Amino acid sequence: MKKYNFADYAFQFITVTAGVLIALLIDGLVDWNNNRVLVAAAHEAIAMEVADNLKEMQGLPKSIASAHDDIDNCMNFANDILAKGKTKISTLQLNFHLATLNSSSWLSADRTGALAHMSYHQVKDYAELYKLQELFDKIQSRAVDAVADSIALISQADPTKADRADMLKFREQLMRLRAGLVVTEDLGKQLTKAYQEFQPLK
């Protein structure tokens, strides 16, 4: 029976250790490559999402301009009824079309762990952009709620017969709606500029 000396044990120990280290190295390289692919996919998806959101925002100025025209018409109607009890205005409408902005790629990057493998500055840039987008979504949603509240005040068949109190509330709501649209417009310009200046990361 062969007896093992110190050299034999040392050789076996080195062989096993080398095998473990090689396995760990390979596993680490696989994880690194998977993370690199995950991050690259996240960057690409976010870049596409921002581009799509920018296209959506390009229709906002026209929508807001149309909403201001509607408000002017409704305001003239309310002023006529309150001052003279009658008006030549025969049509009332209030419309404001939302800019539908997406954030699914940003949320997916967070949930899949891609953000954890990006640099601090990359994540910071993304977070600031989507925070501004979130704020804009809230502001424009409030404007839409104001439209609904305004319409509800004169939703009867003949709005010229609305109570004076309701007409006063209607005019007040219109002024609030106009102010809300100004804020929406200003914030929309900031968001559009942020989208335009956005540089896809790699």
Side-chain angles (χ1 to χ4, degrees):
M1 182 176 179
K2 180 180 179 182
K3 293 182 179 180
Y4 292 97
N5 55 31
F6 176 78
D8 293 328
Y9 285 115
F11 175 77
Q12 291 180 16
F13 175 77
I14 293 172
T15 301
V16 172
T17 302
V20 171
L21 291 176
I22 291 173
L24 290 174
L25 176 62
I26 293 174
D27 187 57
L29 288 173
V30 171
D31 286 342
W32 175 83
N33 185 65
N34 289 339
N35 292 335
R36 184 178 62 83
V37 171
L38 179 65
V39 169
H43 284 317
E44 182 178 359
I46 290 174
M48 292 177 62
E49 185 167 76
V50 170
D52 289 341
N53 287 343
L54 175 58
K55 291 179 182 178
E56 186 69 20
M57 288 296 292
Q58 289 171 346
L60 183 68
K62 183 178 179 179
S63 177
I64 289 181
S66 177
H68 277 302
D69 289 341
D70 290 343
I71 292 173
D72 288 341
N73 184 64
C74 289
M75 188 67 78
N76 290 334
F77 170 85
N79 289 335
D80 285 347
I81 296 299
L82 289 170
K84 301 178 290 186
K86 60 181 180 179
T87 182
K88 294 181 180 180
I89 298 173
S90 58
T91 302
L92 293 178
Q93 66 177 9
L94 280 172
N95 294 303
F96 177 61
H97 300 287
L98 286 170
T100 305
L101 306 178
N102 294 315
S103 59
S104 57
S105 294
W106 164 246
L107 295 175
S108 295
D110 183 26
R111 291 168 183 167
T112 58
L115 297 184
H117 302 288
M118 296 182 189
S119 71
Y120 169 81
H121 294 292
Q122 289 176 334
V123 176
K124 181 175 179 290
D125 288 343
Y126 284 149
E128 289 177 350
L129 179 63
Y130 278 95
K131 191 66 177 179
L132 181 59
Q133 177 178 310
E134 181 182 358
L135 177 60
F136 173 79
D137 275 335
K138 290 180 180 179
I139 295 299
Q140 73 165 349
S141 293
R142 289 176 187 172
V144 172
D145 291 340
V147 169
D149 292 341
S150 300
I151 292 174
L153 290 171
I154 55 165
S155 58
Q156 57 190 26
D158 186 356
T160 62
K161 292 181 169 55
D163 292 340
R164 181 175 180 82
D166 284 343
M167 193 59 65
L168 287 170
K169 289 180 181 177
F170 177 58
R171 187 172 64 177
E172 181 182 354
Q173 192 65 41
L174 289 173
M175 289 187 286
R176 291 179 179 175
L177 174 57
R178 190 193 302 279
L181 285 177
V182 170
V183 175
T184 302
E185 184 175 21
D186 288 344
L187 193 57
K189 290 178 180 177
Q190 293 180 44
L191 182 58
T192 298
K193 183 180 179 181
Y195 284 150
Q196 292 171 339
E197 294 177 349
F198 171 78
Q199 296 293 327
L201 302 174
K202 300 185 179 180

